[in-house]
Amino acid sequence: LEIYNETLKDLLRLNLSQECKHEIKVGTDGRRTVTDLIVKVVDPNDRAAVDAILALAAKRRATGSTDMNATSSRSHSVFTLNITAMHVERNQVVRGTLNLVDLAGSERLDRSNATGQRQKETVAINKSLSSLVDVFTAIGQKSTHIPFRNSKLTYLLQPALSGDGKTCMIVNLSPTEASVPETLCSLRFASKVNMCELGKAKRTIGEVKI
């Protein structure tokens, strides 16, 4: 899926012209699901099948041209892999979730010169990234309140950021002199993330229901 202007969009939908309203639902076990989202069953060892899904999603992701990037990502994309392993003899089932997130880069309007719809996208991107910074800041300060609900991005990723899982972030930097302000902004962001300790990841073990 992608988060475009704070709206969830299914990147695997069959009819591109038909868009459903997707909502984030939280189950009794704390697991998050997105309503009316197409879910495909794949063999994790079938690399070609996984690559095909990623390629299709990337092709449909919202992009646009600005003065900074001719094919700028205008959304955050999230690829979620839910894995279930069963041990029949022990009557146990173990569930895990892997989220691969590609964040749209922050933009300065005085460089991108984005106007109209592109400007609206820029504001939405920067706002959600700021919400992500607020979450990491609150975690780093061990605050009693973590503002996960301030954006669709942080609310969707709450289980991975709240101590139930582990998170690895890779920050891309531009080597050009003209991008020094963006590079400094990214480094400050990475510094705040580096201060966070999410705690020990938890295993989700349940009984096999027959």
PDB file of all heavy atoms in Angstrom, residues 134-144 146 195-196:
ATOM      1  N   ASP A 134       8.492  12.993  15.898  1.00  0.00           N
ATOM      2  CA  ASP A 134       7.883  13.166  17.223  1.00  0.00           C
ATOM      3  C   ASP A 134       7.782  11.840  17.966  1.00  0.00           C
ATOM      4  O   ASP A 134       7.990  11.783  19.186  1.00  0.00           O
ATOM      5  CB  ASP A 134       6.489  13.788  17.084  1.00  0.00           C
ATOM      6  CG  ASP A 134       6.536  15.227  16.604  1.00  0.00           C
ATOM      7  OD1 ASP A 134       7.599  15.856  16.722  1.00  0.00           O
ATOM      8  OD2 ASP A 134       5.497  15.718  16.096  1.00  0.00           O
ATOM      9  N   VAL A 135       7.467  10.772  17.231  1.00  0.00           N
ATOM     10  CA  VAL A 135       7.370   9.450  17.851  1.00  0.00           C
ATOM     11  C   VAL A 135       8.738   9.003  18.357  1.00  0.00           C
ATOM     12  O   VAL A 135       8.884   8.549  19.500  1.00  0.00           O
ATOM     13  CB  VAL A 135       6.808   8.411  16.844  1.00  0.00           C
ATOM     14  CG1 VAL A 135       7.058   6.981  17.335  1.00  0.00           C
ATOM     15  CG2 VAL A 135       5.320   8.629  16.637  1.00  0.00           C
ATOM     16  N   PHE A 136       9.757   9.143  17.512  1.00  0.00           N
ATOM     17  CA  PHE A 136      11.104   8.747  17.927  1.00  0.00           C
ATOM     18  C   PHE A 136      11.607   9.603  19.092  1.00  0.00           C
ATOM     19  O   PHE A 136      12.280   9.098  19.992  1.00  0.00           O
ATOM     20  CB  PHE A 136      12.070   8.852  16.749  1.00  0.00           C
ATOM     21  CG  PHE A 136      11.955   7.717  15.771  1.00  0.00           C
ATOM     22  CD1 PHE A 136      11.725   7.953  14.431  1.00  0.00           C
ATOM     23  CD2 PHE A 136      12.067   6.410  16.195  1.00  0.00           C
ATOM     24  CE1 PHE A 136      11.622   6.910  13.528  1.00  0.00           C
ATOM     25  CE2 PHE A 136      11.965   5.352  15.310  1.00  0.00           C
ATOM     26  CZ  PHE A 136      11.740   5.602  13.963  1.00  0.00           C
ATOM     27  N   THR A 137      11.282  10.877  19.068  1.00  0.00           N
ATOM     28  CA  THR A 137      11.697  11.764  20.157  1.00  0.00           C
ATOM     29  C   THR A 137      11.055  11.333  21.476  1.00  0.00           C
ATOM     30  O   THR A 137      11.713  11.261  22.519  1.00  0.00           O
ATOM     31  CB  THR A 137      11.314  13.220  19.852  1.00  0.00           C
ATOM     32  OG1 THR A 137      11.971  13.648  18.650  1.00  0.00           O
ATOM     33  CG2 THR A 137      11.720  14.142  20.988  1.00  0.00           C
ATOM     34  N   ALA A 138       9.752  11.043  21.424  1.00  0.00           N
ATOM     35  CA  ALA A 138       9.032  10.610  22.621  1.00  0.00           C
ATOM     36  C   ALA A 138       9.568   9.284  23.139  1.00  0.00           C
ATOM     37  O   ALA A 138       9.709   9.084  24.356  1.00  0.00           O
ATOM     38  CB  ALA A 138       7.534  10.499  22.318  1.00  0.00           C
ATOM     39  N   ILE A 139       9.903   8.360  22.216  1.00  0.00           N
ATOM     40  CA  ILE A 139      10.468   7.072  22.629  1.00  0.00           C
ATOM     41  C   ILE A 139      11.831   7.286  23.272  1.00  0.00           C
ATOM     42  O   ILE A 139      12.153   6.704  24.307  1.00  0.00           O
ATOM     43  CB  ILE A 139      10.581   6.119  21.418  1.00  0.00           C
ATOM     44  CG1 ILE A 139       9.190   5.720  20.911  1.00  0.00           C
ATOM     45  CG2 ILE A 139      11.369   4.864  21.800  1.00  0.00           C
ATOM     46  CD1 ILE A 139       9.217   4.895  19.638  1.00  0.00           C
ATOM     47  N   GLY A 140      12.654   8.141  22.635  1.00  0.00           N
ATOM     48  CA  GLY A 140      13.990   8.409  23.159  1.00  0.00           C
ATOM     49  C   GLY A 140      13.959   9.033  24.538  1.00  0.00           C
ATOM     50  O   GLY A 140      14.831   8.781  25.372  1.00  0.00           O
ATOM     51  N   GLN A 141      12.935   9.854  24.796  1.00  0.00           N
ATOM     52  CA  GLN A 141      12.791  10.514  26.096  1.00  0.00           C
ATOM     53  C   GLN A 141      12.015   9.667  27.093  1.00  0.00           C
ATOM     54  O   GLN A 141      11.756  10.108  28.210  1.00  0.00           O
ATOM     55  CB  GLN A 141      12.091  11.856  25.904  1.00  0.00           C
ATOM     56  CG  GLN A 141      12.896  12.866  25.093  1.00  0.00           C
ATOM     57  CD  GLN A 141      12.138  14.141  24.824  1.00  0.00           C
ATOM     58  OE1 GLN A 141      10.916  14.228  25.043  1.00  0.00           O
ATOM     59  NE2 GLN A 141      12.841  15.166  24.346  1.00  0.00           N
ATOM     60  N   LYS A 142      11.620   8.454  26.647  1.00  0.00           N
ATOM     61  CA  LYS A 142      10.837   7.535  27.482  1.00  0.00           C
ATOM     62  C   LYS A 142       9.570   8.209  28.002  1.00  0.00           C
ATOM     63  O   LYS A 142       9.208   8.092  29.187  1.00  0.00           O
ATOM     64  CB  LYS A 142      11.683   6.997  28.636  1.00  0.00           C
ATOM     65  CG  LYS A 142      12.834   6.107  28.181  1.00  0.00           C
ATOM     66  CD  LYS A 142      13.644   5.577  29.350  1.00  0.00           C
ATOM     67  CE  LYS A 142      14.633   4.504  28.917  1.00  0.00           C
ATOM     68  NZ  LYS A 142      15.511   4.909  27.812  1.00  0.00           N
ATOM     69  N   SER A 143       8.921   8.930  27.128  1.00  0.00           N
ATOM     70  CA  SER A 143       7.687   9.623  27.478  1.00  0.00           C
ATOM     71  C   SER A 143       6.557   8.626  27.731  1.00  0.00           C
ATOM     72  O   SER A 143       6.525   7.536  27.143  1.00  0.00           O
ATOM     73  CB  SER A 143       7.296  10.573  26.336  1.00  0.00           C
ATOM     74  OG  SER A 143       6.035  11.153  26.571  1.00  0.00           O
ATOM     75  N   THR A 144       5.634   8.979  28.599  1.00  0.00           N
ATOM     76  CA  THR A 144       4.503   8.100  28.886  1.00  0.00           C
ATOM     77  C   THR A 144       3.478   8.114  27.754  1.00  0.00           C
ATOM     78  O   THR A 144       2.661   7.208  27.637  1.00  0.00           O
ATOM     79  CB  THR A 144       3.801   8.531  30.192  1.00  0.00           C
ATOM     80  OG1 THR A 144       3.414   9.916  30.087  1.00  0.00           O
ATOM     81  CG2 THR A 144       4.729   8.349  31.380  1.00  0.00           C
ATOM     82  N   ILE A 146       3.186   8.331  23.605  1.00  0.00           N
ATOM     83  CA  ILE A 146       3.835   8.312  22.299  1.00  0.00           C
ATOM     84  C   ILE A 146       2.770   8.670  21.250  1.00  0.00           C
ATOM     85  O   ILE A 146       1.761   7.974  21.141  1.00  0.00           O
ATOM     86  CB  ILE A 146       4.432   6.922  21.973  1.00  0.00           C
ATOM     87  CG1 ILE A 146       5.255   6.397  23.153  1.00  0.00           C
ATOM     88  CG2 ILE A 146       5.271   7.002  20.702  1.00  0.00           C
ATOM     89  CD1 ILE A 146       6.458   7.222  23.490  1.00  0.00           C
ATOM     90  N   MET A 195      18.928   7.412  19.077  1.00  0.00           N
ATOM     91  CA  MET A 195      18.809   7.544  20.534  1.00  0.00           C
ATOM     92  C   MET A 195      17.716   6.652  21.107  1.00  0.00           C
ATOM     93  O   MET A 195      17.576   6.539  22.320  1.00  0.00           O
ATOM     94  CB  MET A 195      18.508   9.004  20.897  1.00  0.00           C
ATOM     95  CG  MET A 195      19.655   9.965  20.598  1.00  0.00           C
ATOM     96  SD  MET A 195      19.149  11.693  20.782  1.00  0.00           S
ATOM     97  CE  MET A 195      18.623  11.702  22.504  1.00  0.00           C
ATOM     98  N   CYS A 196      16.937   6.024  20.241  1.00  0.00           N
ATOM     99  CA  CYS A 196      15.780   5.242  20.706  1.00  0.00           C
ATOM    100  C   CYS A 196      16.161   3.810  21.030  1.00  0.00           C
ATOM    101  O   CYS A 196      16.948   3.185  20.326  1.00  0.00           O
ATOM    102  CB  CYS A 196      14.688   5.223  19.638  1.00  0.00           C
ATOM    103  SG  CYS A 196      14.015   6.843  19.279  1.00  0.00           S
TER     104      CYS A 196
END
